[in-house]
Each structure stands twice: as structure tokens, then as C-alpha cells.
Amino acid sequence: MRLHRLDITAFGPFGATQEIDFDALSAAGLFLLHGPTGAGKTSVLDAVCYALYGAVPGARQSPGTSLRSDHAPVDLPTEVRLELTVGGRRLEITRRPAQPRPKKRGGGHTTEKAQSLLRVHDAEQGWQAQSRSHQEIGEEITQLIGMSREQFCQVVLLPQGDFARFLRADAEARGKLLGRLFDTRRFAAVEERLAELRRIAENQVRAGDDQILALAQRIAQAAGPAGAEYPMPQVQPGEPGLADAVLEWAATARSSARERLDIAAQVLSAAESRHVAARSALDSERELAALQQRYAETRRRAAASEAGRSGHDEDQEQLRRARRADRVAPALELRDEAERAYRRASTARDRSRSRLPDTLADAGAEQLTALERGLREELGGLDAARRAERRSADIDSERTALERQARADDELIRDAEGWLAGWEDTRTGLLARIEAAQEAATRAEALAGRLDPARRRLDAARRRDALAAEAAGADDRLGEAREHALGTREHWLDVRERRLRDIAAELARGLVEGEACAVCGSADHPRPARAGDGHVDQATEDAAEAAHRRAEIARTEAEHALGSVRERYAAARAEAVETADTAADADAGGAVDPSVATLAALVDTLTREHAQAYRTAAGTHTAREALTAAEREQAQRAEDRQQAERRVSARTSRREGLDVEQASLEEVLVQARGGSGSVTEHAALLQNRVVLLAEAATTVREEESAAARLKEADDRLADAAFRAGFDTPQAAADTLLGDLGQRALQHRIDAWQAEAAAVADRLAETGARAAADRAPAAPDAAQQVHDGAERLLRDASAALASARERCAELGRLSRRAAEEVRGLGPVREEHERVARLAGLTAGTSADNERKMRLESYVLAARLEQVAAAATARLRRMSSGRYELVHSDARAGGRRSGLGLHVIDAWTGRERDTATLSGGETFFASLALALGLADVVTDEAGGVRLDTLFIDEGFGSLDEQTLDEVLDVLDSLRERDRSVGIVSHVGDLRRRIPAQLEVVKERDGSAVRHRVSDGISD
């Protein structure tokens, strides 16, 4: 990455636009950035960082601090433009922070939201805009440079104070810095993932053992009595041999169940034989009882049939008379229908005559028809009058409509004039709403930028508090583990001492008469030693030693657990405090270690303010639409008022024409109405009289026709009754039964005849008569014998089915148990493999000789690279006296491999970096910073860093050391680098010809370029 040009406008102490040509400064390889204290030397570096990442370095990002210069005029916006080459591409980045500006209308200020622009230079087309999105530009720059803002500030800007503290820091502080620069979170994630996999595998193994034991319990339940004879082995999950014990016990239970199955089959065969014999006897008795009962029932039915013979004869006679009366039924129905029609016609005639005048009470049909014809002719002459009357009504309706339109137009004109009178106030209010919504949008964006850091700090504070409690518990467990380890050690040593006291007796037990002693070599053993009270053997000592080793392992694990919790606690606490320089902490009061309640209140406040601002900003489009709608309504109301005024004059002419037409129609209507209120009423009166006359004539004719039909029906009925053999028509009517009555009589007749025939057939049966002569049957006793045999058969069958089901269930469960055992084998192997890897990465495994965690190991390797790269420059700066080395020694029992020492060639001794003097500390930290820049650059994918800045610290060097340091910095040109030194040391101005001077003036700072002997502003 090489910087070419930087333009700063109204930024920090610079009130006007300042242009910095890095190409001219970098031509010499080494250039000086100097000026008085407070002039703005560091602000130049801040501008570079802000152009690249949209934020200044974290140490200078104070809450509530504005980037805008207080010296800048109000109409000059704050802007930073940086031109650079990175990744083979020439880019131009322009950024403007959120800043106030005067309102375009009215007084006061409004906040203009931040803006960004990224342009790319093309050899043929020149500068081409690529993006205006803050997020897209940030992702593009981070990807090209390969470093985050923190890494860039640490590697490119080289803050010497930070590296001096790095030299004197403990292992934990070094680990935090190196972890941020090299992003070793993935290695910590590997440790956590392996630990999680170990827990998962352990749970799977335990779950598999639990499943096997659950199957064993089900096998015991399925075995029934066999399970009581062979009790299940008492084993626990995780014990060795669990699977073999369960499978062997299941095989024994299956063998016993098969024996019980054979016995149940033999019992069932005997029960089936007894049941067949009992069933045959029961069927015989039931058959005999049925025949005897059938014969007795036949005798009872024969007596009942003979008793009903007389009623059967009466039913036959009644049916014959009813069938003769059926021939008279049509004539009876015809006469009844004629009589009903005559009564209806007479009633209708009387009702229609009652509505006529008394003079027409006895008028005939012909007279009534003639009167109706005359009224119809008079009614036809009123059609023209009715049309005139309808037109008169239409004129009245039209005049009413004109009056209604006139009132509506008058109201429209008044409403339009009232609305248009307040148009200017309405327009001013809507413009104010739009401006307020735009200001809220800018405020919402600023609040959104503050809300995310506040939420991250809140999450970190919650983790910090939870981990504090967890660390306290881990500390207690470590104390208990240490006490337990000490107790087991003392017990082991005591057992060992007791065994050594009686070791002679233990050796004596192995003596054999005639064989040489292993101690003295004699074959005679006259007085072998005897064990005293409390003698301890080898097995007891081994058990005590094993218990001590387990306690030591538990203590070590507790130490690692406590260290892990403390590291996570420190990380969470640092995360809650690290962002204390962000804008979100302005509301937290700058608390160094803020509480969860404070941060939660801050998050709630920012969330509410952001939501309120967002809701207000969301009304921008609505306010604009309201203004557009109001403007359309203003134009429409003015147009409506003009049209209404034109319609008023047109209605006056129309009223005059309607008045003339109404007067001519009224003369015709007066003659046509007669004595009625209107032509329609007079026509309705005539129409009603026509209807009454027509109805009366019709009813008179219908009554005469009905009387003739009734006389004809009486004659036909008398003739039909005589031919059917009845004396009078009434006698035939009384004999009628209808279809339902005749079917009931026929059914009784047929039923008696069928019963008589059936009884005769059953009396002729010889089998039933012979059964009646035998002794009474006893089916109940046979049923009891059969029920007993059936119960025995059911019990035997159930026992056999239960035995078969038990055998099948035992076989199925045994196969499942065998499958579970086979399936659990790979899981056990996976658990052992993952456990070994997790122990190795966590530093608890015996294979990990240094007991270093994976992340610590990686950080140690990175520190070793940094120390080696720094030593190459430190030797030159110190004239070969000093070199930096890293140490694998444990620091505080928590982190390994992050020690940093300095070797003094004059004494040949290795000592701590804190013993260096002020000047020695400066050039040692400078060498460390340059070495770290090289390593981080390689780590970032080999991105070239062609421009570096070194901030302060040269004042602590003597003249000779300063020459050596400048030689080292000048040697960076061998890698085509340019180095900018930020310092106010006067001696550097004589040694470095290429200079950028920052001058402090009353109206804001300014920059001046000095290349060789010339000076340029």
C-alpha cells in the first residue's frame, strides 16, 4: 500500500483545505512530519485512518468529539480525500462525517448525514465512481489492505508508547495484543469445539450404555418368571464388561422361556381333547330340547287357529261387500266435487255483487258487460292528459334539482374561498414537516451507529458478571481439589512408609525351603521375618498411589478450568471496557468498568431515541405526498369555484323556460282531472269500476254453469248405486272401506290361512312327536361341563400365546441389545480419539509436554517470529549489543510461551525488558514495532506496506544512537518503503531533508512541504 496524495478540508485543527503530496515526500524514502505541540501532526495521521476506515484511531476517538474544525467557515464542509495504490489498483477515497450546516430555508442548522465515495482510476477512462455505500467501501478497503482498523493503526502508524508498554507488559497483556493483531480466535474456537465434541461423545457413550441397560430392564420384564430365576447383573453405565454381561444374561433368559413354551404346548393339546368331547354332548342335549319345545309350541298354535275360525268367516263377507261398493265410488266422488264447485261459485257471485251499487244488484251478465265496455272507452281518452301530468311533475322535479344545485354551488364557493384563504399557512406547515423528517433521518443514522457498540458492551458485561460467579466457583473447586490431592499424597506416603517397615516380612513370604534367599543368598531360612500389626501389602500401596494420581489429575484439571474461566472473564471485561472510547460510552459516563444496569439503561435510551427518530424519519415520504396532494387540492378548488360561478348564470335562463311550459300544461290538466285531485286519481277510479263490473259478470256466469253440473252428477250417482245392488247411494257410501281397509282385511284372512297350513305341516312331523315321548332334555348340565372345558382350553391357549410372545419379545430385545452393542463400538472409539485431541489442545494431556493450550502455542510462535524480525534491526540500533528473545516459561500458571527478554551481549546475561533505559526502551520498542509490521504484513497475505509512520519517542536518544536508528529506518528503502517520522526533535530537521511542517496559526493550522532546499506551502 502506497499513499500518493491527501487533501484535508475543515478537519481537526485545519480550518481550510490542506494538500499533502506523499509522492514528493516519499521520493527520499525518509521524511519528517514536525511542528509545535498542538499544531496537528497527529491529525494528519488521523485523516489517513479516517479516509481508509471512516474512523480515527481508537485512542483518539473520544465520545462526543467532532471531527469538524472550529476554525472552518460555516459554508465549508468537512472532507478528507486520500489517493493511494493498494493491491495493484489506484483508488481515491472521499469521506465527509455527519456535520451541521445552515438550513436552506429559515434560520438555524440541520445535521447533514455522513457521505463516502470510492473511485477507481482506469488507464483509458480515467477516474470511475465505484461505490457510495459506507459498508461496501469499508469491506473493499479491509479486503485490499488485509487488516482491520486496529491492526492498521498498530502496524502502519506505529504508536511507540503502545510498544513500550508491550515490552514491559505481562504475558496476559501481550496475549491480548497479539490475539487482536493475528486474530487467533479460530484456534480458541478449535479448542472449544474439541471440548464440545468430547462432551458430546461422552454423552453419546453414556446414552448408549443407558440404552443397553434400558433394554436389559425390558428383557427382565419380558422374561417374567424366568427373570426371577436369573436376576439381571448389577452394572452401571461406563463399567467395563457391561455389554458382555447383559448379552450372556439375555441368552439364559431366552433358554428358560423356550422350556416353558414346550410345557404350555402339551397342556393345550390335552385341553383341546376334553373340549371336543364336552361340545359333542352339549350339541346332543340342545337338539333334543329344541325338538320337544317345537312339538309343544305346535300344539298351542293349533288350538289358537281353531278359536279364530269364526272371525275369519266374517272378514271374508265384509271384504266381498266392500269390493261391490268400489264400483259406486267414482260417481260419489264426481257428485261431491260438483257440489263443492257450486258452493264456491255461489259465494264468489254474492261477494262480487255486494261491491256494486244497489241498482245493479239483480243485473244479468249481459248488462254488466255492456256497462264495463262503456267505462273502458272513457278510460282510453285520458292517455294524453296523463302524459301532460307526468311532464308537469318532471318540470317540478327539475326545478327542485336546480334549487339543490344552486345551494350546492353556493356552499362550494364559500368552502373554496375559506380553504384558499389558509393555503399559505398549510403549505408552510407541510414544508416544516418535511424538514423535521429529514433531520430525524440524520439523527436516526447517528443513533444507529452508537447503538451497536452499546449492545456489544452490554453483552460483554453480562458475560463478565456470569463468568465472575463461575470463576469464584472454579476457585472453590480448585481449593477443594488441592486439599484432596494433599490428603491423598499424605495417605500414600504413610502407606508406603508402613509397607517399607515390614518389607522383610513381605520378602519372607516368598522364601522356599532349599532355595537361595534373594537378599542374602542363603538356602537356610532359620528365622523368617513376620509382619507386625497394620502391615500393608503391594496392592494397598498401589491403590493409594493411584488415588493420589487421580487427585493430582483432578487438581490439574481444576487449575486449567480456573485459568480458562479467568481468561474468558478478562476477555469479556476487556470487551466491555475496550469500546469505552466509542461514541456510545458518552452516555455511560465514561465508566471504566460499567455495570450491566448502566449499560442496559444506555441501550434502552438509545433504542428509544433511535425508534422515535426512525418513526419521525419514516414520515418524510408521507409529508412530501401530503404537500403534493395539498398543491393539487389548491388548484382543484380554484377551478371548482370558477365552474360553479358559470353554472349560476346558466340556471337562471333554464328556470324562465320551465315556468312558461308549466303554465300551458296546467290549462289541459284542469279539464282532465274532473272531480279528482289528479288525472291519475281519476283514471284509477274508472279502472276500479271496470274491474268490479268484469268480476261480477264472470261470477254470474260461473254460478249458472256449476248448478247445471251438480244436477247431472246426482243423476249418475243414483244409477250407479242401483246397478251395484244397493238400495240407496248412502248405503253404498257407508259400505266403502278404501284401499287401506281392504288390504288390512285381506292380510288377516291370508295370515289365518297360512297359520292353519303351517300347523297342519308341523303336526305331521314324526321326529318332534318321537322326541316328545322321550324323557326331558338337560342342556344346562351339559353347558356347565362344556364351560369348564372351554375355560381350561382358553387358559392353556393364553399360556401358550404368552410363552410364544415372551420368546419372540426376548429374541427381538436380545437382537436389539446386540445391535446396540455393535453400534456403540465406533462411538467409544470416536470418544477416545476426540478426548485425546481435546486434552492435547487444552494442555491437560500427558502428550502435551509444555502443558500449553493451542491458542497460546500459536501466539508463542507468532511472538517468536516477531522477536526474530525485531532482533535483526535491534542489533543495528544498539551496535550489536541487544537482541530480543521470547521465553516458554509459565507466567502466573495461566499462560505459557509469551515471555519476552532481552540479551545483553556485553554481559552475556538474559534480563527482563523492564530493565532497559528510556532511550534503549525506545529503539527496542521501535525495532519490535517494525518487526511486528513485517510479520503482520506476511500474515495478512503479503500485502506490501510501502508507507509507514512512526509517532514520537526520538527525543530520548543520544546523537550516536539516533544516527544508528535513522540508518535502520533509511534501510527500509531497500524494500521500497517510505517512512514518515512524527517528531518535534530539532536535530531531526537537520538530518532529514524531506519534511512536512505543520504550522499553528490563529485561523487554523496549515502544512508546508520542504523537499531538499526548497519550501512549498
Side-chain angles (χ1 to χ4, degrees):
M1 180 194 72
R2 177 175 294 277
L3 305 183
H4 299 292
R5 181 183 181 89
L6 176 65
D7 296 339
I8 307 174
T9 302
F11 182 87
F14 304 105
T17 301
Q18 305 296 322
E19 300 177 356
I20 301 174
D21 188 355
F22 283 112
D23 285 337
L25 294 172
S26 301
L30 194 64
F31 63 91
L32 177 66
L33 175 59
H34 68 94
T37 301
K41 301 185 297 297
T42 305
S43 296
V44 174
L45 308 184
D46 291 346
V48 173
C49 184
Y50 178 73
L52 292 173
Y53 295 97
V56 298
R60 296 186 286 278
Q61 183 75 46
S62 301
T65 302
S66 173
L67 300 179
R68 179 168 176 79
S69 175
D70 296 334
H71 303 283
V74 294
D75 57 346
L76 182 63
T78 299
E79 180 180 279
V80 175
R81 179 180 292 110
L82 176 64
E83 185 178 339
L84 74 159
T85 297
V86 59
R89 302 169 64 189
R90 187 152 184 149
L91 307 177
E92 181 189 79
I93 307 171
T94 303
R95 291 190 187 270
R96 288 187 177 184
Q99 53 190 300
R101 63 165 177 81
K103 293 183 178 179
K104 295 180 180 179
R105 295 183 178 86
H109 290 75
T110 184
T111 301
E112 190 176 56
K113 64 181 180 179
Q115 301 177 25
S116 298
L117 172 63
L118 174 63
R119 297 200 303 169
V120 181
H121 188 268
D122 185 85
E124 298 179 356
Q125 300 179 0
W127 289 103
Q128 300 292 322
Q130 182 171 352
S131 177
R132 293 184 178 271
S133 169
H134 303 300
Q135 182 178 359
E136 290 180 359
I137 296 175
E139 293 175 354
E140 180 75 12
I141 296 301
T142 302
Q143 183 177 1
L144 288 174
I145 298 178
M147 288 181 283
S148 64
R149 177 171 64 93
E150 292 77 9
Q151 290 176 311
F152 178 84
C153 296
Q154 196 74 38
V155 173
V156 178
L157 303 185
L158 299 184
Q160 295 305 301
D162 289 353
F163 283 96
R165 287 191 295 273
F166 182 80
L167 279 175
R168 298 184 175 91
D170 57 9
E172 182 175 358
R174 289 195 187 105
K176 290 176 60 177
L177 176 60
L178 293 174
R180 289 197 303 270
L181 291 177
F182 294 106
D183 192 13
T184 57
R185 290 175 296 178
R186 60 188 184 277
F187 298 104
V190 170
E191 297 177 23
E192 295 178 0
R193 179 57 179 166
L194 286 174
E196 180 182 1
L197 290 177
R198 178 176 59 185
R199 290 192 297 271
I200 293 173
E202 184 178 356
N203 292 335
Q204 289 176 344
V205 171
R206 185 172 295 276
D209 288 344
D210 291 340
Q211 182 67 18
I212 292 174
L213 288 177
L215 287 173
Q217 292 288 348
R218 294 179 61 184
I219 291 173
Q221 295 175 0
E229 295 176 3
Y230 305 98
M232 186 179 69
Q234 299 299 318
V235 290
Q236 297 297 327
E239 291 186 9
L242 180 145
D244 295 338
V246 170
L247 294 180
E248 182 179 355
W249 172 78
T252 303
R254 290 199 307 275
S255 177
S256 177
R258 284 195 293 269
E259 293 177 359
R260 293 178 179 273
L261 176 62
D262 295 338
I263 296 173
Q266 295 173 5
V267 173
L268 177 62
S269 178
E272 288 176 346
S273 299
R274 289 194 297 270
H275 179 265
V276 170
R279 182 65 188 179
S280 178
L282 176 62
D283 291 342
S284 298
E285 289 298 320
R286 283 179 174 174
E287 184 178 0
L288 178 59
L291 289 173
Q292 291 176 347
Q293 185 178 2
R294 179 181 178 83
Y295 185 77
E297 179 64 23
T298 301
R299 297 294 298 175
R300 287 194 297 272
R301 288 172 61 185
S305 177
E306 188 62 29
R309 182 179 294 276
S310 59
H312 169 67
D313 296 339
E314 292 176 359
D315 289 340
Q316 285 183 328
E317 178 60 26
Q318 185 180 1
L319 181 60
R320 282 194 297 271
R321 288 177 57 84
R323 287 176 176 173
R324 283 193 291 113
D326 285 343
R327 294 196 293 271
V328 186
L332 285 170
E333 292 177 359
L334 181 61
R335 197 268 176 190
D336 291 341
E337 177 61 29
E339 184 177 7
R340 286 192 297 272
Y342 176 73
R343 285 198 296 269
R344 287 195 300 270
S346 298
T347 302
R349 182 201 60 186
D350 295 340
R351 185 172 58 252
S352 62
R353 284 182 181 276
S354 65
R355 289 181 293 187
L356 295 176
D358 294 339
T359 56
L360 299 177
D362 296 331
E366 296 299 331
Q367 183 181 357
L368 294 173
T369 300
L371 291 174
E372 175 193 356
R373 190 179 301 111
L375 290 176
R376 286 185 183 278
E377 291 175 356
E378 183 181 354
L379 185 62
L382 294 177
D383 290 342
R386 278 198 294 268
R387 287 193 297 271
E389 188 176 45
R390 284 196 298 271
R391 176 55 186 162
S392 177
D394 292 341
I395 291 174
D396 292 338
S397 299
E398 187 173 355
R399 294 178 66 180
T400 302
L402 290 175
E403 293 297 331
R404 185 170 59 253
Q405 292 173 4
R407 290 192 299 271
D409 284 341
D410 291 342
E411 184 178 356
L412 187 148
I413 293 171
R414 288 193 301 272
D415 183 57
E417 291 176 348
W419 192 92
L420 292 172
W423 161 240
E424 290 300 327
D425 294 338
T426 301
R427 185 173 180 273
T428 303
L430 291 174
L431 290 174
R433 281 180 56 192
I434 294 173
E435 186 172 358
Q438 291 175 342
E439 293 177 356
T442 303
R443 187 167 62 256
E445 184 175 357
L447 290 171
R450 298 172 59 193
L451 186 58
D452 288 340
R455 285 173 175 167
R456 288 194 297 271
R457 292 189 62 199
L458 176 59
D459 294 338
R462 286 171 176 166
R463 292 197 307 274
R464 175 201 63 197
D465 295 348
L467 289 170
E470 187 177 349
D475 195 13
D476 294 340
R477 289 191 293 274
L478 176 59
E480 295 174 358
R482 285 173 175 169
E483 293 178 0
H484 180 61
L486 181 60
T488 55
R489 176 178 175 80
E490 292 176 353
H491 175 65
W492 170 49
L493 294 176
D494 179 62
V495 169
R496 185 178 182 184
E497 183 179 357
R498 286 160 55 192
R499 178 170 175 263
L500 290 176
R501 281 200 308 266
D502 293 336
I503 194 65
E506 185 174 334
L507 293 174
R509 282 199 300 269
L511 295 176
V512 178
E513 191 65 31
E515 295 183 3
C517 175
V519 178
C520 64
S522 175
D524 296 329
H525 316 298
R527 296 178 59 189
R530 296 183 179 277
D533 295 337
H535 173 64
V536 176
D537 57 7
Q538 177 69 36
T540 304
E541 182 185 356
D542 293 343
E545 183 179 6
H548 169 61
R549 289 175 179 168
R550 288 193 298 272
E552 283 295 324
I553 293 174
R555 180 187 61 79
T556 303
E557 291 178 350
E559 288 178 351
H560 286 298
L562 178 59
S564 175
V565 171
R566 284 179 175 174
E567 287 180 6
R568 286 186 282 132
Y569 169 76
R573 183 179 181 186
E575 186 176 354
V577 177
E578 278 177 358
T579 57
D581 294 327
T582 62
D585 294 301
D587 298 325
V592 176
D593 198 3
S595 65
V596 172
T598 301
L599 293 175
L602 172 61
V603 170
D604 292 341
T605 301
L606 291 177
T607 301
R608 288 194 301 272
E609 292 178 357
H610 177 264
Q612 182 178 1
Y614 183 80
R615 287 194 297 270
T616 305
T620 303
H621 181 68
T622 304
R624 293 184 185 278
E625 289 185 345
L627 177 60
T628 302
E631 291 174 345
R632 288 198 301 267
E633 185 176 0
Q634 187 267 342
Q636 184 63 41
R637 284 181 179 269
E639 177 66 20
D640 291 345
R641 182 178 61 181
Q642 295 177 359
Q643 292 181 0
E645 291 172 350
R646 288 194 294 268
R647 288 195 297 270
V648 169
S649 60
R651 276 194 297 271
T652 303
S653 300
R654 180 60 179 165
R655 283 197 191 97
E656 294 175 354
L658 293 176
D659 292 341
V660 173
E661 186 179 1
Q662 181 75 33
S664 63
L665 291 174
E666 190 64 26
E667 296 176 359
V668 177
L669 293 175
V670 170
Q671 298 177 358
R673 289 188 187 116
S676 301
S678 65
V679 175
T680 302
E681 292 180 4
H682 186 59
L685 178 62
L686 294 178
Q687 181 66 33
N688 185 41
R689 291 176 180 175
V690 168
V691 171
L692 292 177
L693 290 172
E695 182 180 357
T698 301
T699 54
V700 168
R701 294 190 185 94
E702 290 178 351
E703 189 270 340
E704 293 173 353
S705 176
R709 288 196 301 273
L710 178 59
K711 182 178 182 305
E712 182 180 358
D714 286 337
D715 295 340
R716 289 183 178 179
L717 176 59
D719 183 62
F722 177 75
R723 286 198 299 270
F726 293 98
D727 296 335
T728 62
Q730 186 61 39
D734 294 340
T735 307
L736 283 173
L737 285 179
D739 293 340
L740 183 62
Q742 291 183 20
R743 283 197 298 271
L745 282 176
Q746 185 64 49
H747 177 70
R748 289 202 300 270
I749 294 170
D750 294 341
W752 186 89
Q753 291 175 351
E755 177 67 10
V759 168
D761 292 339
R762 290 181 63 174
L763 287 174
E765 295 177 353
T766 58
R769 188 182 301 111
D773 295 338
R774 295 175 59 185
D780 293 338
Q783 182 67 46
Q784 292 178 358
V785 174
H786 175 268
D787 291 344
E790 191 171 17
R791 281 194 300 273
L792 292 176
L793 178 61
R794 285 198 303 269
D795 294 342
S797 179
L800 179 62
S802 177
R804 287 175 177 169
E805 183 179 356
R806 183 176 297 111
C807 287
E809 183 68 9
L810 287 174
R812 185 180 66 83
L813 293 175
S814 297
R815 288 190 298 274
R816 281 193 58 189
E819 292 173 357
E820 291 290 340
V821 170
R822 287 194 298 271
L824 191 58
V827 177
R828 291 185 189 276
E829 295 176 358
E830 177 68 13
H831 171 253
E832 294 173 358
R833 183 179 65 84
V834 172
R836 287 196 301 272
L837 287 175
L840 185 63
T841 56
T844 59
S845 172
D847 297 333
N848 191 331
E849 297 178 358
R850 297 181 183 272
K851 303 299 181 184
M852 291 175 63
R853 292 173 47 237
L854 178 61
E855 184 181 13
S856 300
Y857 180 79
V858 173
L859 290 177
R862 292 290 186 268
L863 183 59
E864 184 177 5
Q865 295 174 348
V866 172
T871 296
R873 296 186 175 91
L874 181 59
R875 286 197 188 101
R876 293 185 58 185
M877 293 181 186
S878 63
S879 299
R881 180 178 179 181
Y882 295 116
E883 63 180 73
L884 289 174
V885 294
H886 91 288
S887 173
D888 285 337
R890 297 178 64 84
R894 289 179 295 174
R895 185 182 295 273
S896 300
L898 296 180
L900 193 62
H901 294 166
V902 63
I903 297 179
D904 190 345
W906 290 3
T907 63
R909 300 286 299 276
E910 180 178 322
R911 55 192 173 97
D912 193 89
T913 54
T915 61
L916 295 173
S917 65
E920 292 170 341
T921 299
F922 167 71
F923 63 70
S925 62
L926 176 58
L928 184 65
L930 294 174
L932 184 61
D934 291 339
V935 175
V936 172
T937 299
D938 296 337
E939 178 73 12
V943 177
R944 289 181 54 83
L945 299 178
D946 298 321
T947 305
L948 299 177
F949 294 92
I950 302 174
D951 192 0
E952 290 299 345
F954 290 88
S956 60
L957 303 180
D958 56 55
E959 185 174 355
Q960 180 181 355
T961 305
L962 181 59
D963 288 338
E964 293 172 348
V965 169
L966 291 179
D967 288 342
V968 171
L969 295 178
D970 191 56
S971 67
L972 294 177
R973 289 185 296 176
E974 299 172 1
R975 301 180 63 181
D976 197 21
R977 283 183 174 178
S978 61
V979 179
I981 297 176
V982 183
S983 178
H984 53 71
V985 176
D987 194 28
L988 291 175
R989 279 177 255 170
R990 298 190 303 271
R991 297 170 181 264
I992 303 175
Q995 299 178 12
L996 178 68
E997 183 181 5
V998 182
V999 182
K1000 184 163 55 176
E1001 300 175 351
R1002 180 176 295 275
D1003 56 351
S1005 299
V1007 298
R1008 296 179 179 177
H1009 295 74
R1010 181 192 299 272
V1011 181
S1012 297
D1013 294 332
I1015 299 177
S1016 62
D1017 292 337

